[in-house]
Amino acid sequence: MIDKFQEHFDEQEVQMLSIESESSEWEERLKSIETEAAFYSKLLNSGFSEDLKLKINLEDSNYLKNHLKSMREINDFHLKTFQDYKIKQEGLKECDDVQYENFYLKDHLIFKQTLIKHFKVFREFKSLIYKYIEINFGK
């Protein structure tokens, strides 16, 4: 992103470059979560524990499956919300109204906080899956 800055950019243009960079990162992370969650879902539902004749804690397994389903639904919601956000972002590029610009920036910061929390919750959930796999299959 830093290579996109030019000396003649004003504060608003620099801010837009920053927002665009963050937005690209968010989209990439949301899509990555979608891919990872699909993988974990297939893994947990694959029956590999039965194939390996492993005795697993079904309560833990069911909890992870249900929680993963919820995480996928939440991530899908954020992906859809992100598409709406991108449309608003395009509108901001055309905007000359300071009041609208301030509204958009406030909206951006709220959305940013929401996604940061979502990314953190998913990282914590992945840790649970890793621990579950290690406990049940790392022996």
Side-chain angles (χ1 to χ4, degrees):
M1 178 182 79
I2 199 158
D3 57 330
K4 293 183 180 179
F5 289 135
Q6 297 179 14
E7 286 185 33
H8 66 278
F9 282 173
D10 63 22
E11 187 178 329
Q12 181 184 7
E13 290 169 322
V14 171
Q15 192 171 36
M16 279 305 301
L17 286 172
S18 176
I19 288 171
E20 288 173 7
S21 176
E22 280 184 332
S23 297
S24 293
E25 175 69 21
W26 296 343
E27 185 172 27
E28 186 179 312
R29 290 177 79 178
L30 288 166
K31 288 179 179 178
S32 177
I33 288 173
E34 182 178 41
T35 302
E36 287 181 78
F39 169 77
Y40 294 132
S41 183
K42 287 178 186 175
L43 180 67
L44 292 171
N45 290 309
S46 69
F48 68 100
S49 58
E50 292 85 12
D51 294 344
L52 297 174
K53 306 281 189 264
L54 297 170
K55 294 181 181 177
I56 60 169
N57 182 326
L58 289 178
E59 188 177 331
D60 288 346
S61 176
N62 288 333
Y63 169 79
L64 289 174
K65 288 176 188 178
N66 290 333
H67 194 65
L68 182 57
K69 182 180 177 198
S70 295
M71 291 295 299
R72 291 181 80 181
E73 290 169 357
I74 291 167
N75 197 67
D76 285 345
F77 171 78
H78 286 309
L79 275 167
K80 288 176 183 140
T81 304
F82 182 78
Q83 296 309 315
D84 294 339
Y85 170 83
K86 280 176 55 172
I87 292 168
K88 286 182 188 176
Q89 188 177 23
E90 289 301 315
L92 180 62
K93 291 177 184 178
E94 307 296 320
C95 176
D96 288 334
D97 183 4
V98 174
Q99 188 175 12
Y100 178 74
E101 194 175 299
N102 288 337
F103 170 79
Y104 179 81
L105 292 176
K106 181 180 175 186
D107 193 44
H108 172 79
L109 292 173
I110 291 169
F111 191 49
K112 178 179 181 175
Q113 289 304 101
T114 301
L115 289 181
I116 288 171
K117 181 179 177 185
H118 173 61
F119 298 148
K120 181 178 186 239
V121 168
F122 190 74
R123 277 193 315 273
E124 291 168 350
F125 178 68
K126 284 194 318 185
S127 293
L128 283 178
I129 291 178
Y130 295 154
K131 287 176 186 173
Y132 170 80
I133 291 171
E134 184 177 27
I135 288 168
N136 289 286
F137 308 108
K139 300 174 183 176

